[in-house]
Amino acid sequence: MQVYGLESVGFAIPQNRVALRDIHDTWQSLPLSAVEKMATPYRAVVDPDEDAITLGVEAARMALERSPGPIGAVVFGSQTPPYISRSCAAIISDMLGLGSQVFATDVQFSSKSGTTAMIIAGGLVGSGMVGRALAIGADTLGQHCAPGDPQELSAAAGAGAVIVGTEKTIGSITAVASHSSDTPDGFRLDGERYLRTGGTGMAATRVGLIDHVSEAWCALSFSETAGKGFPDEICALAYSQTNGAAPQIFRRAISAPIDLFTDGLVADKVGDTGSAGPILSLARVLKNVQKGDKVGLIGYGVGAGADAILIRINDSADIEDIDRLLLNNSSIIDYPTTVRYERRYQGHEYLLGAYE
Amino acid sequence: MWAKSEPIYRQTIASPAKAWRTRFQRYRLLGNASQNGETIYFPPRLANSLSTDDLRPYILSRFGKIIVKAEDYTPLIAQAGRSTRLFAMIQLEDGPSVMAEVVGSTYEALKVGNEVEMVVRKWRRESNGLPQYGFKFRLRTF
């Protein structure tokens, strides 16, 4: 197995934002106090011509511009791909001009699809099958949540991409672990229009997240600090996040100091970006790390499973400043516009316009 | 007038075969150029007055500047749910100009001279229902 790691990171976040208070005023599906506990004033809303492919290609292009060169594999992770049969990775590969010899495939495991894509890309590179691989996590959750469903409050969209390779890596992947089981804390059946939670017993108790994240994290096997609580060697954490309260939930799972979650928090600014969340979080963490630091990357997906990845920083990361998209460059839109942009209601299949 | 997604057209449609053949033009601004690079064609020209041998593939720059802007109020269906759409002539960094939709801005905010970058977005759906992707532009972010 070759030593492999991250050569670059890219990201894309839609420009529009809607206030959670605006959604709450419309549906009142949760008490206002519960909405405020989400600590997420606004969430991102896709443009009407955006989807997981367009966001994914944007993030991938940013990563490729930072680390140009041939790509042997594209792994696209999403739970909201525009296609459920053909490969979005192949489309993205064509859009990027990577050549038709590339190995392209999609993976799907709810919100951990992005970290799962990274692990697969790492396996392909580490085994020597390809020299460099592109892993993408992209989701447009807002388009796929039912109007009035409490999930809709923070369901946003975004994409993250990493190039996994063996040369000039900003961080080496030194350990990978996963934990999966049949835990239906969220799902979407074939043919159903919207994502669903598994109900109060599964989703609201967070049993899936806490159990799986805890087990995956422990399976990383920190030899130096085994059995001594949270390992001191970890300098920061990047993680899946549904809203701004995510650090408190993850803290329950892995007993980490709360300040390790600070740099990686993005959902308080854009909401739940699904599969992109851990990679966006990583992009923010990488701005503040130094050579020799160790970063934990955790992906959690309902259904349920968790990935844990340990990254040792080799070099300061030359990546774009994600805060420019998180904090600036956004347009506030109202809830009716959000519903229209996300195409939440079923309309006519065939229409005639004014000139047709 | 808006539908859950872009409706399928009964007329004025892009043929799937033609859309497939021309996808690199929409995805990556693939044109062609004369061998000395003095003349660039976009969309690519199949033959010029000399010979097809004189042309080579050429990918245009993703970056450029607004030189003319316009706003379209025509309520064509399925143009992505926007009530109006912003268009511009964009002079690309390597010389040629293209006309394209500009997203993420308003007519008032967009200024002649603004730097823009190409992004891939959904266009209309093809006659078989397939979403068609292609270039649009937005203000340069990074």
Side-chain angles (χ1 to χ4, degrees):
Chain A
M1 196 79 171
Q2 298 186 68
V3 176
Y4 63 93
L6 311 178
E7 293 191 2
S8 69
V9 180
F11 45 82
I13 300 169
Q15 188 178 338
N16 309 305
R17 302 283 183 276
V18 63
L20 267 64
R21 182 63 194 261
D22 202 357
I23 303 172
H24 171 266
D25 288 349
T26 304
W27 294 106
Q28 303 188 9
S29 49
L30 284 179
L32 182 58
S33 58
V35 178
E36 287 170 347
K37 278 182 186 168
M38 291 182 179
T40 309
Y42 297 94
R43 72 162 169 89
V45 179
V46 288
D47 263 346
D49 50 4
E50 281 181 313
D51 61 18
I53 288 180
T54 66
L55 288 166
V57 76
E58 200 175 315
R61 187 171 273 142
M62 182 189 282
L64 278 168
E65 281 175 356
R66 285 287 170 178
S67 181
I71 294 289
V74 179
V75 188
F76 179 77
S78 178
Q79 60 188 314
T80 55
Y83 295 100
I84 56 174
S85 55
R86 72 192 287 232
S87 166
C88 297
I91 300 170
I92 289 174
S93 170
D94 246 9
M95 287 175 173
L96 296 169
L98 299 181
S100 50
Q101 77 288 349
V102 73
F103 170 78
T105 190
D106 292 17
V107 296
Q108 171 243 310
F109 196 144
S110 50
S111 288
K112 87 172 180 82
S113 307
T115 50
T116 303
M118 277 180 69
I119 291 174
I120 294 171
L124 291 168
V125 172
S127 67
M129 279 184 69
V130 299
R132 300 196 325 149
L134 171 65
I136 303 168
D139 265 323
T140 55
L141 295 177
Q143 289 177 328
H144 299 277
C145 282
D149 186 333
Q151 284 192 110
E152 180 199 11
L153 284 157
S154 64
V162 297
I163 292 178
V164 181
T166 55
E167 296 175 6
K168 296 179 184 172
T169 55
I170 54 182
S172 298
I173 295 177
T174 57
V176 171
S178 210
H179 189 81
S180 308
S181 77
D182 175 8
T183 304
D185 52 350
F187 57 91
R188 180 183 179 192
L189 287 171
D190 186 22
E192 284 189 349
R193 170 71 180 84
Y194 300 116
L195 296 161
R196 293 160 61 185
T197 70
T200 312
M202 299 306 298
T205 59
R206 306 275 182 191
V207 61
L209 187 148
I210 290 169
D211 279 3
H212 290 77
V213 169
S214 169
E215 293 290 338
W217 183 253
C218 289
L220 278 180
S221 305
F222 295 97
S223 54
E224 300 163 24
T225 52
K228 298 177 186 171
F230 192 80
D232 295 336
E233 59 197 296
I234 303 298
C235 301
L237 291 163
Y239 47 99
S240 289
Q241 37 201 294
T242 53
N243 56 50
Q248 282 74 27
I249 299 158
F250 270 80
R251 193 183 179 193
R252 284 169 59 194
I254 59 173
S255 308
I258 196 74
D259 59 319
L260 292 189
F261 294 98
T262 309
D263 283 352
L265 186 57
V266 295
D268 61 332
K269 301 165 194 70
V270 292
D272 184 359
T273 50
S275 308
I279 303 174
L280 300 182
S281 182
L282 181 66
R284 196 154 192 270
V285 163
L286 289 177
K287 296 302 287 184
N288 297 318
V289 292
Q290 295 173 334
K291 187 175 180 180
D293 285 353
K294 287 186 178 174
V295 173
L297 173 62
I298 305 170
Y300 174 70
V302 293
D307 295 328
I309 301 172
L310 191 60
I311 302 165
R312 189 188 64 240
I313 304 300
N314 299 330
D315 200 355
S316 58
D318 178 26
I319 61 174
E320 303 288 1
D321 184 6
I322 192 171
D323 280 353
R324 286 178 63 184
L325 293 186
L326 293 172
L327 304 174
N328 307 314
N329 196 42
S330 56
S331 316
I332 307 295
I333 59 173
D334 57 15
Y335 184 59
T337 307
T338 300
V339 170
R340 181 155 58 91
Y341 278 13
E342 292 181 341
R343 303 182 188 285
R344 214 77 69 67
Y345 293 101
Q346 181 141 355
H348 300 293
E349 192 68 29
Y350 289 93
L351 292 179
L352 286 184
Y355 302 99
E356 294 173 280
Chain B
M1 63 182 284
W2 312 109
K4 62 162 182 165
S5 58
E6 302 83 348
I8 298 166
Y9 303 101
R10 296 196 288 196
Q11 51 189 322
T12 63
I13 47 175
S15 118
K18 182 179 178 186
W20 177 75
R21 285 199 308 273
T22 58
R23 66 194 187 281
F24 295 133
Q25 300 168 30
R26 286 180 283 114
Y27 295 165
R28 287 186 275 134
L29 296 175
L30 175 70
N32 53 18
S34 57
Q35 289 295 344
N36 59 14
E38 286 180 0
T39 312
I40 298 168
Y41 298 102
F42 183 81
R45 187 175 270 204
L46 289 178
N48 63 9
S49 57
L50 304 171
S51 155
T52 52
D53 295 336
D54 294 323
L55 299 174
R56 60 184 168 87
Y58 182 89
I59 294 177
L60 279 70
S61 170
R62 291 179 48 234
F63 302 105
K65 283 185 178 176
I66 302 288
I67 50 176
V68 180
K69 62 174 183 172
E71 197 167 23
D72 181 8
Y73 285 80
T74 311
L76 284 176
I77 60 170
Q79 291 294 357
R82 293 187 174 91
S83 49
T84 62
R85 291 187 299 147
L86 192 54
F87 283 88
M89 290 294 294
I90 295 147
Q91 179 153 37
L92 300 175
E93 280 182 346
D94 41 9
S97 297
V98 294
M99 191 184 80
E101 187 173 343
V102 179
V103 294
S105 190
T106 62
Y107 185 78
E108 292 72 28
L110 191 72
K111 306 290 181 198
V112 170
N114 279 161
E115 288 194 14
V116 289
E117 62 182 341
M118 191 206 85
V119 288
V120 173
R121 294 290 179 95
K122 281 191 283 189
W123 285 5
R124 302 169 64 141
R125 281 171 74 171
E126 295 166 14
S127 57
N128 58 4
L130 198 72
Q132 187 177 85
Y133 296 89
F135 59 84
K136 294 186 182 181
F137 282 78
R138 70 170 177 207
L139 289 172
R140 193 167 177 173
T141 315
F142 291 101

